[in-house]
Amino acid sequence: MTNLSTRSLPLPALLALTTAAFVTVLTEALPAGVLPGMSAGLGVGEAAAGQAVTVYALGTALTAIPLSAATAKWSRKRLLLTGVAGFAVANTVTTLSADYALTMVARFVAGVAAGVVWALLAGYARRLVPDDQGKAIAIVMAGIPLALSLGIPAGTFLGGLLGWRSAFGVMSAIAVALLAWIAAAMPGRPGSAAGRTPVLRTLTVPGVVPVLAVTLVFVLAHTVLYTYIAGFLGAAGMGDAVDIVLLVFGIASMAGIAIVGARIDRALRALMVASTLLVAVAAALLAVFSGSPALVYLAVALWGLGWGGVPTLLQTAAGNAGGEAADNAQAMLVTLWNAAMAAGGVAGGVLLGAAGPAAFPWTLLVLLLPVLAVVLGTRRHGFPARS
C-alpha cells in the first residue's frame, strides 16, 4: 500500500482520537491567541495571564508518568472518557471563572487531563489496528497541525468577536460532544500488564532511551524558533505576514503527516532521517536568507513538511521500542515533550535577550546535529533499519 488508504481502518474510532488530540493541543495553546482579553478579564497583566500555558504544561509534565502507571490496568475507553471529561470540566471553569487563582487551577487540571489523553492516544490507536499501526497513529496525530493551523486562528477570531470566554466555552462544548462520540464509536480495549513493571525499568528496554533523547532535543529545537517566530519575522521585515507564514507551516505539516502515514510502517527510519534533514535545511535557509520573503516562505514550507510527521514518527518509535512497556514509554515521551516545550520557551527568551532573533534558526540547526547522530546511530533499536 503506497498511499494513505483508509479502507480497512476503523475511521470513526480513529477520528475520535484525532479530535481528542485536536482538543488537547487547542486547549493548551488557546490562551496565547486570546491573551489580551484574558488578561483584562482576570485583572492581571499579560505576563501573568500567559502563565496559563505554563501551568498547563506543568500539569502534563508532572502527572503523565505516575497517572499512566496508576491507570495501566484501566480500560482504554474508560481512561479516554475520563481524560476528555477533565477537559470539559476545566474549560467550563475557565469560561466562568473571574478569579485568577481558580483559573490557574483549572488550567493545571486541563494539563493533567492532557497527560492522561496524550499517554494513551498512540497506544489506543495501535490496539485498534492490528496492521498498518503507523498509518493509524498518523491519522490520530493529524489533530495536532489541525489545531495549530486552523483551531487556534478560529479560536482567536471567536475570542475577538465574542470575547475570550466564548472561545473556552466552545472548547467545553466540543469536549462534551466528543464524550458522546467516544461512548458511541469507540470499542473498548483492555489496559496493559506493563503497569506492574516499575516505570523506570522501561528505560532499560533497548531503543527507548534513544527515542526519548531525540524527542527531548528535537522538540526543544523546534520550540525555540516556533515560540518566537513572530519576533523573528518582525526582525526580517515580515511582521505583518505572521498569520500567512503560520498557515503555510500548517498546510505543509498536513502534507508531512500524509507522507509519513503512507510509509511509516515500512520506512520509519528513513522518514525520521528525512524529517530531520528537511527541518535542518529550513533552519539554514532562515539563518542565511531571512531577508528574502520568497526563501522564508520556502523554508517555512520545508520546516512544516519535515516537522508535521515528527510526532507520529516519535510516538510510533517509542511504542515499537517499548514493546510490552509501550504505554510507559509513551508516558515518558509525553513528559519529555512538555518539558522540552517549556524549556524551549525559556531558552528562546534568554536567547532573544542575549543574541537577538537572528540566533533562533542557528540554534535550531545546531541542536539538530545530535538528533541526526542518534537517529543514524540506532540501526537495531529505536530507529531500526527495518520496521
Side-chain angles (χ1 to χ4, degrees):
M1 190 176 295
T2 58
N3 53 36
L4 194 51
S5 171
T6 57
R7 288 193 300 268
S8 61
L9 299 177
L11 278 182
L14 291 176
L15 290 176
L17 295 178
T18 304
T19 306
F22 177 88
V23 168
T24 302
V25 173
L26 188 51
T27 298
E28 178 174 23
L30 186 57
V34 297
L35 197 59
M38 194 173 185
S39 168
L42 294 174
V44 297
E46 289 194 13
Q51 299 311 305
V53 177
T54 304
V55 168
Y56 181 105
L58 284 174
T60 302
L62 293 175
T63 63
I65 291 176
L67 282 180
S68 179
T71 59
K73 298 178 185 178
W74 285 31
S75 157
R76 299 297 91 180
K77 183 172 182 176
R78 175 190 174 194
L79 189 55
L80 180 61
L81 285 168
T82 301
V84 175
F87 283 123
V89 171
N91 282 326
T92 299
V93 172
T94 303
T95 301
L96 301 175
S97 172
D99 181 76
Y100 177 74
L102 178 60
T103 300
M104 292 301 106
V105 170
R107 291 293 297 172
F108 185 86
V109 170
V112 173
V116 169
V117 171
W118 271 129
L120 70 83
L121 282 178
Y124 206 159
R126 292 166 68 94
R127 286 171 169 83
L128 291 173
V129 182
D131 301 312
D132 293 331
Q133 293 182 342
K135 192 173 298 182
I137 295 174
I139 292 173
V140 173
M141 292 299 111
I144 299 174
L146 281 173
L148 294 175
S149 60
L150 300 179
I152 292 174
T156 302
F157 173 78
L158 183 64
L161 187 66
L162 300 177
W164 68 273
R165 297 183 187 279
S166 65
F168 283 99
V170 169
M171 291 302 302
S172 297
I174 293 174
V176 170
L178 180 57
L179 286 171
W181 186 355
I182 294 168
M186 296 294 295
R189 289 293 185 270
S192 171
R196 300 169 188 165
T197 303
V199 173
L200 291 180
R201 192 177 300 172
T202 306
L203 294 174
T204 66
V205 177
V208 169
V209 169
V211 174
L212 295 179
V214 166
T215 299
L216 179 64
V217 180
F218 207 151
V219 175
L220 173 65
H222 165 79
T223 304
V224 164
L225 178 57
Y226 189 83
T227 302
Y228 296 93
I229 188 63
F232 175 80
L233 292 173
M238 296 178 63
D240 58 347
V242 175
D243 53 348
I244 300 175
V245 168
L246 292 179
L247 179 62
V248 169
F249 180 87
I251 293 172
S253 294
M254 293 300 297
I257 282 188
I259 294 169
V260 165
R263 302 296 301 171
I264 188 170
D265 291 302
R266 301 178 187 177
L268 187 150
R269 175 184 174 83
L271 289 167
M272 192 68 217
V273 171
S275 293
T276 306
L277 290 175
L278 279 172
V279 178
V281 170
L285 287 174
L286 290 173
V288 179
F289 299 108
S290 62
S292 168
L295 290 178
V296 168
Y297 281 117
L298 173 62
V300 169
L302 293 176
W303 181 15
L305 188 64
W307 175 257
V310 167
T312 302
L313 290 165
L314 292 175
Q315 294 231 26
T316 303
N320 290 346
E324 293 184 357
D327 288 346
N328 288 344
Q330 297 290 352
M332 290 179 176
L333 185 145
V334 169
T335 298
L336 287 177
W337 190 289
N338 282 273
M341 287 182 64
V346 173
V350 173
L351 194 63
L352 180 62
F360 292 142
W362 289 112
T363 302
L364 173 56
L365 185 60
V366 169
L367 287 173
L368 288 179
L369 295 178
V371 168
L372 185 62
V374 172
V375 173
L376 292 175
T378 52
R379 295 184 60 86
R380 294 188 59 189
H381 303 289
F383 300 97
R386 292 186 179 182
S387 301

